[in-house]
Amino acid sequence: MAKKFLFFALSFLFSPTLFAQTEDRLDDHIEDWSQLLHHGRYISENSQFYLSSEYDPKKEWELSLKELNQKSSWICKFPARAYLISMAIKKSPPSYSHCEDFLSFQKRAPADQVSIVYVSEKMQSPESGFGHSFLKIAGNDLSHTFSFWTKMNDVDPLSLILKTFITGKKGYFTMAPFSETSSYYIEKEGRNLWEYQLELTQRQKTLLYFHLYELKNTNFQYLFHGHNCSTLIREILKVAYPDFSPGHLWATPKDVIKELHYSKKIDKTIQHIGHNSFIRVLNKNLQTTTQDRETIKDLKLPSLEGHSVEKTALYYHLAKEYTAYEYSSGHISYAKYKSAVKDINKRVSAEARDFQITIPDDSNPLHSQQDSQINLSYHQIDNHHYYGLGFLPVSHKLHNLNLNYESEFQLGGFNLLKNVSNEEYLLQEFNILKIKVYQDYDPLIGGTSFQFDFGVKQILNRDFRFTEGLRAQFGLGRTYSLFNDLDLFALTHLESFKDNDHSFLREKFQFGLIIREIYNMKSIIDFQINSPFSEKRIYDLDFIQSFNFKNINLNTQLNFNWQNGIQKNSYSLNTAFLF
């Protein structure tokens, strides 16, 4: 009798009718299911991420259903998949009572609140030039982060480029306490964090939370432009938001944040400001004297006599932030840090200590312009006329609005010109890597401006002739903020150039002004002396007038060059469409 019952039960369980029903359920949940499987992309073969030998959503559903019915350890390894199938078939969640590790995870890292966190750019490091993003979960006074990254420790730069952009590198999806992660970025790297708390239903939160557990032992492939911190976070978020898809050619952390904002999925924003940024803001607002700064560098408070409560509070926070900066930079011991903070607190009233300092959210990535652009232009160069087409896949140019960044900066793209009169084409610029950073110098914490170019470029050679070739250039200097909207920069460069006929190495001095004007207009004056110690020195003066709108930039550029009384001028009219 028992054997007959078992036979009929198994016949019913594996009957075509039941599988037809489960297939219907799969059709209803195919997008959610495929997202939990990450569409079979960028998963390392040794991850054991699938039950089937290759990615097949239908087969994976069938095999997973068998595991669910057998209440196997598969449920503990893939709780989100078990939850989705169980809710689709039985309309109730499965039991996880036998899953010790998963239950321990829920106790150690509860998720009453889920956030995405944006880490501001670090332009001194190319891999951090577009910022970083990670997920944060919080509950019961505990908070943890989930982040995707790779190691950039290859000695051979060509090997690094090959692996990062083409073949892929080993990626690491890691979990850590939020206090450790935030301390690393804020104190060690001096970067700001923007936390965006997400609006989630209970079902969305459960699927997302359980899926984070599924990924903790999964090996992913990392590609700088195709599968990075922002793209994996985007794929994870699509588990909760199936319709979420930032429509960008190259999704950056800012693109993901903005799309969440536009689709009204952000509930609340919290700023975690780094010591560097806070010191710069306070210093500018106070307009400190040399004596004030020397006193603060001695980890003491300047004279507060006659100051209002607000100004006293600003000095108080500046002294505390600088002391914390010195400690996080490793310049003073913990004991000295605690002693200095104690002395600073003694000198300030409770009213001033508790006074709320409002930090402007200028650097909030939600307010930044789109960071890809196509440029249409008209040029006159050496009495020849050209039409131009330029493309920048990600980031900004110096004449764009950079108000939401911590410094004026530019990354390079390419610009192709066609002669109006004939079929001549001219590759004016093609950058493999181009970075310009004009970081204003702060009297307390310093600040370095630099430029690095490597790629094909049209230049005036030492014989004062236009030529195209391979150029590498490195420059170093300082930028001073004379007023809130006026920066003065000065850099010294070393430039190497090679074309079909010549190669040379020359030095270059550069001086200029960046002027931020009303109605989002911007002017740049750039003066350079090429080979300043040579009889064949070339003087180069550039002037750019830029008009910035929401997703359009209009600018005109004038260029004047002199050598031994001979002059060559050029100009261009440009329209850039940002997307």
Side-chain angles (χ1 to χ4, degrees), residues 5 33 58 94 259 326 515-516:
F5 175 80
W33 181 248
K58 180 180 176 181
E259 185 59 31
E326 285 290 279
I515 308 166
R516 293 171 287 275

Side-chain angles (χ1 to χ4, degrees), residues 133-162:
S133 60
F134 58 82
L135 290 175
K136 173 189 174 185
I137 59 173
N140 297 337
D141 296 324
L142 299 170
S143 55
H144 291 80
T145 62
F146 294 83
S147 183
F148 182 57
W149 53 281
T150 190
K151 294 179 180 178
M152 295 287 186
N153 56 356
D154 299 63
V155 177
D156 180 5
L158 292 179
S159 174
L160 177 63
I161 292 173
L162 178 67

Side-chain angles (χ1 to χ4, degrees), residues 166-219:
I166 300 174
T167 62
K169 289 175 64 67
K170 182 180 179 181
Y172 301 89
F173 187 75
T174 55
M175 171 182 163
F178 177 70
S179 57
E180 290 183 9
T181 306
S182 61
S183 176
Y184 173 80
Y185 287 117
I186 290 175
E187 296 182 10
K188 185 174 181 179
E189 296 204 338
R191 298 160 75 177
N192 296 334
L193 305 184
W194 291 89
E195 178 182 343
Y196 303 94
Q197 295 182 354
L198 302 176
E199 287 191 350
L200 294 161
T201 65
Q202 188 57 49
R203 179 186 181 278
Q204 289 173 325
K205 190 188 301 181
T206 299
L207 269 177
L208 181 60
Y209 179 46
F210 287 7
H211 187 54
L212 289 174
Y213 176 81
E214 293 179 344
L215 298 180
K216 69 185 186 75
N217 293 318
T218 303
N219 296 322

Side-chain angles (χ1 to χ4, degrees), residues 270-317:
I270 302 172
Q271 182 184 14
H272 307 269
I273 190 167
H275 299 312
N276 300 36
S277 297
F278 204 1
I279 289 170
R280 290 180 186 278
V281 170
L282 292 170
N283 228 346
K284 283 184 178 180
N285 278 277
L286 281 169
Q287 297 181 340
T288 54
T289 65
T290 302
Q291 184 177 349
D292 289 340
R293 293 190 292 270
E294 290 302 317
T295 304
I296 290 172
K297 285 181 179 179
D298 289 334
L299 310 183
K300 298 176 182 177
L301 266 174
S303 173
L304 302 175
E305 187 177 351
H307 290 329
S308 64
V309 173
E310 180 180 0
K311 196 164 187 178
T312 299
L314 290 173
Y315 272 110
Y316 165 71
H317 283 288

